[in-house]
Amino acid sequence: MTEPEDMEDRALRERLGALREEPAELGFQASLHRRLVAAGPPEPAPGWDRVRWFFRRRAPWLWPMAGAAAGIAAFLVMSAVQQPPVPPAVLAEASRPLETPGTQVPVSKVAVIKLDFTADVAVEQADFQVSLPEGLSFWADGQELELRSFRWTQALNAGSNVIPIAVRGQKPGRYLVTAEARTGNQRIEHDVVLEVTEG
């Protein structure tokens, strides 16, 4: 090997050796790291990447807030849709066989007035009252009762509830028998006209 080639070869080896060594100054790497940390993560690309980034970043508080909002919305919808409470029963007047004036019963006979109270739903407790005018009296077990008015409480089934009341006329005439049923704030009256004749 000639001397110029030997020198070239040595210079090349020195250069290659210098490339393998760490640079003496590490300040560039540290400053680059500081600048990247200060800049923060890169902005996501528009579209689905941005949506995924938003949900991933906000997940710790977004899902509980979404659940609470859904619960409040469901409560508001249910309270707006809820029907007002139905009264315990809606009593309706049904047929009353002795309602027509001129229904005749002889003084010597006992008349059975059938009051028909119809309820849309079953009622645990309804208050009833039947009042008789002078000239009529309640009749039970073959005897006249001295009451002018009779009150009692009973349950009503859904549908028709026929309540028989036995009365007897003391003298001829036309009489108005008043029956009343109450449940809650509902009140139904039956007015039955009974004509007592001689005989």
Side-chain angles (χ1 to χ4, degrees), residues 19-130:
L19 286 176
R20 282 191 214 126
E21 292 176 5
E22 290 290 326
E25 185 180 326
L26 296 176
F28 173 76
Q29 185 178 6
S31 77
L32 177 63
H33 179 70
R34 279 193 301 274
R35 285 194 333 218
L36 286 174
V37 168
E43 285 292 317
W48 283 112
D49 286 343
R50 186 173 290 277
V51 172
R52 280 195 298 264
W53 173 82
F54 177 79
F55 279 104
R56 196 175 308 130
R57 186 171 179 152
R58 305 286 193 254
W61 60 268
L62 182 67
W63 292 117
M65 291 296 288
I72 292 170
F75 174 76
L76 293 174
V77 167
M78 291 302 289
S79 44
V81 170
Q82 184 181 12
Q83 297 288 332
V86 178
V90 177
L91 298 178
E93 296 184 64
S95 61
R96 294 171 289 204
L98 300 178
E99 180 180 12
T100 309
T103 301
Q104 298 180 352
V105 177
V107 173
S108 59
K109 301 280 186 182
V110 174
V112 177
I113 301 172
K114 293 183 180 177
L115 304 170
D116 189 0
F117 291 95
T118 303
D120 291 341
V121 294
V123 179
E124 288 183 21
Q125 182 175 329
D127 297 318
F128 295 90
Q129 178 177 344
V130 177

Side-chain angles (χ1 to χ4, degrees), residues 123-199:
V123 179
E124 288 183 21
Q125 182 175 329
D127 297 318
F128 295 90
Q129 178 177 344
V130 177
S131 299
L132 299 180
E134 288 291 329
L136 290 181
S137 57
F138 290 108
W139 200 262
D141 297 327
Q143 294 183 23
E144 178 182 334
L145 304 177
E146 295 188 21
L147 301 170
R148 301 256 48 82
S149 183
F150 185 65
R151 291 178 183 237
W152 75 98
T153 300
Q154 76 176 53
L156 287 177
N157 298 320
S160 178
N161 296 272
V162 177
I163 300 171
I165 306 291
V167 297
R168 186 168 181 177
Q170 299 161 351
K171 58 184 180 178
R174 188 173 282 179
Y175 302 96
L176 181 66
V177 179
T178 304
E180 178 184 291
R182 288 179 184 266
T183 175
N185 59 355
Q186 299 224 337
R187 178 174 173 256
I188 296 296
E189 280 190 4
H190 278 298
D191 291 330
V192 179
V193 176
L194 181 63
E195 187 171 345
V196 178
T197 60
E198 295 283 352

